[in-house]
Amino acid sequence: MNLPDPAAAPIPQLYTDSFAALPHRTTAPQSWMVRVADARYHWYDLFAGFADKPDIRDPIGRYMRRMQFELEATAHQRHLFLAVSRPRVRFDISGVVQWGFFSLKLTLPLLMGADERKDSVTIELKVPFAATLKKPTVTLTENFISLNWGGLVEVFSVHDLLQTYAHTLQLPSKVHYVGQTRDEDGRLGKGRLPALHKLRAQLGMDYDTLILVLGVEVDVSCAEGDPAELPHNAHPLAADALQAERADVIEAALIRYFEGSTPRLRPADERKMRAERLTAVQTANHLVQYTLDLALPEADYYDQLCSEFVTAAPRHLLSCFIADGQAQVAAMPLPATPKGSKG
């Protein structure tokens, strides 16, 4: 649910009571199958920790601005997000960068945790199409690596690098908070969400905070078809109302699964509003059950999710329903992988 900042001025209601804003409904029971269509990590600490605009004349500045634009753009979309922590990691700018013999294997020095214990990671680079050099010039800062290939400069944050390239470090993403990106004030991209301020304060210097933005697709099983396909519901206001309902129901299940039955970062009034909303949405949609298949496409080596209540795994299959205004969630066994399959 998108709740306004109590300290801000009241936000006008998104919809009027006009006919166009009210979606047409079906009367048959519905069951939903929800899958993750796309998943994208953003290193939240970088955006929450600076006030000035990055210098776009610098490759790292261009990277920062592009990532900020991407996160700000989600304020206009009904995506979900998971606020996750990972053990603090930085490049050791005083360490030695080592190349493998006759290869593009690169060993980079790391500092792990608040105590900055020394470690390293070895990756094998891939030559980009526009490169004019066989090996790039490597420049390290605490948070970024720049690879100058002559024809272009690649920039990766330390988390980008560990997500993209194979390594042996076992560092699952721990989910602490679930939310939605849609926000007229764009507080997520501006680093102004109060709940995330509290989370970062709790995590301290031992962990980095990342935002995992999830785009989902919902397949509706209903004898009368998917209400979203009704002609009237092609109207932008009606379509958005249905999307908002589905996002709220999915969000509630993820909160229950990852944050537990009594989430620490949720005030009582938010829990009350969510219960009322879920009851209304369940009734309006005749929603009997929904299944969440939480597997992260293209998350590479950051595909493992866990929480205080959930064991780390690259895929979580959840059976859900609404009862008394609460999302009830049970983990399901994963289907067996067919013989000969790479999945």
Side-chain angles (χ1 to χ4, degrees):
M1 292 175 63
N2 295 306
L3 300 176
D5 185 347
I11 297 176
Q13 291 296 317
L14 182 60
Y15 303 115
T16 66
D17 291 330
S18 66
F19 174 76
L22 299 175
H24 284 186
R25 305 288 185 178
T26 56
T27 58
Q30 294 182 28
S31 177
W32 300 350
M33 182 68 202
V34 183
R35 297 180 177 87
V36 178
D38 54 80
R40 174 77 168 169
Y41 276 101
H42 301 268
W43 189 357
Y44 186 73
D45 297 324
L46 297 181
F47 303 102
F50 74 89
D52 298 328
K53 290 184 178 180
D55 184 357
I56 61 173
R57 295 170 296 181
D58 174 71
I60 292 177
R62 289 194 294 273
Y63 168 97
M64 290 279 290
R65 194 64 182 136
R66 185 175 69 252
M67 294 298 102
Q68 190 177 31
F69 276 140
E70 286 186 9
L71 195 54
E72 288 176 348
T74 65
H76 306 290
Q77 301 165 320
R78 292 203 179 276
H79 291 330
L80 297 152
F81 74 83
L82 309 179
V84 307
S85 67
R86 296 182 65 86
R88 175 186 167 91
V89 58
R90 299 290 185 271
F91 289 118
D92 182 359
I93 58 176
S94 64
V96 178
V97 175
Q98 296 179 323
W99 286 102
F101 290 107
F102 307 108
S103 74
L104 286 175
K105 285 189 176 181
L106 182 62
T107 299
L108 299 167
L110 300 176
L111 298 174
M112 306 294 293
D115 57 350
E116 297 190 335
R117 65 185 181 279
K118 292 184 179 295
D119 205 332
S120 65
V121 62
T122 299
I123 62 173
E124 185 159 7
L125 299 178
K126 298 177 182 178
V127 180
F129 178 77
T132 58
L133 300 176
K134 293 182 178 180
K135 281 187 177 181
T137 301
V138 179
T139 303
L140 293 182
T141 69
E142 184 181 51
N143 296 326
F144 294 97
I145 179 173
S146 300
L147 304 173
N148 189 335
W149 293 90
L152 83 161
V153 178
E154 290 186 304
V155 174
F156 298 92
S157 74
V158 64
H159 285 290
D160 289 338
L161 192 86
L162 294 177
Q163 179 184 347
T164 304
Y165 290 97
H167 57 81
T168 58
L169 300 176
Q170 299 298 316
L171 305 171
S173 297
K174 185 175 182 179
V175 180
H176 297 271
Y177 185 84
V178 179
Q180 295 185 39
T181 63
R182 180 69 173 266
D183 182 5
E184 290 184 350
D185 292 335
R187 290 171 292 171
L188 180 63
K190 297 174 183 176
R192 296 177 183 172
L193 273 183
L196 296 191
H197 289 321
K198 294 178 183 178
L199 174 60
R200 293 181 71 217
Q202 291 174 6
L203 294 174
M205 296 295 293
D206 290 334
Y207 296 93
D208 293 332
T209 304
L210 283 73
I211 298 297
L212 175 58
V213 177
L214 304 176
V216 300
E217 55 186 22
V218 181
D219 293 328
V220 177
S221 296
C222 176
E224 300 174 22
D226 185 348
E229 297 176 357
L230 295 175
H232 171 83
N233 293 339
H235 189 284
L237 291 178
D240 190 62
L242 285 178
Q243 291 175 7
E245 292 176 354
R246 295 175 181 185
D248 287 346
V249 169
I250 297 166
E251 177 193 28
L254 293 176
I255 291 172
R256 178 63 181 84
Y257 184 63
F258 285 115
E259 298 185 40
S261 57
T262 55
R264 298 188 185 96
L265 295 173
R266 311 284 175 175
D269 57 343
E270 177 185 337
R271 295 197 296 269
K272 182 175 183 293
M273 290 174 61
R274 177 168 287 106
E276 294 172 352
R277 170 68 166 167
L278 290 178
T279 298
V281 171
Q282 179 196 25
T283 301
N285 289 274
H286 305 282
L287 180 61
V288 176
Q289 181 271 348
Y290 57 112
T291 300
L292 303 186
D293 189 349
L294 193 61
L296 306 181
E298 300 182 2
D300 298 321
Y301 298 95
Y302 273 27
D303 63 343
Q304 299 266 342
L305 293 178
C306 69
S307 80
E308 179 182 350
F309 308 96
V310 176
T311 303
R315 184 184 180 190
H316 303 262
L317 191 61
L318 312 178
S319 177
C320 317
F321 64 94
I322 305 298
D324 300 322
Q326 304 296 320
Q328 306 297 325
V329 181
M332 301 168 61
L334 298 178
T337 303
K339 291 184 178 181
S341 171
K342 296 181 180 180

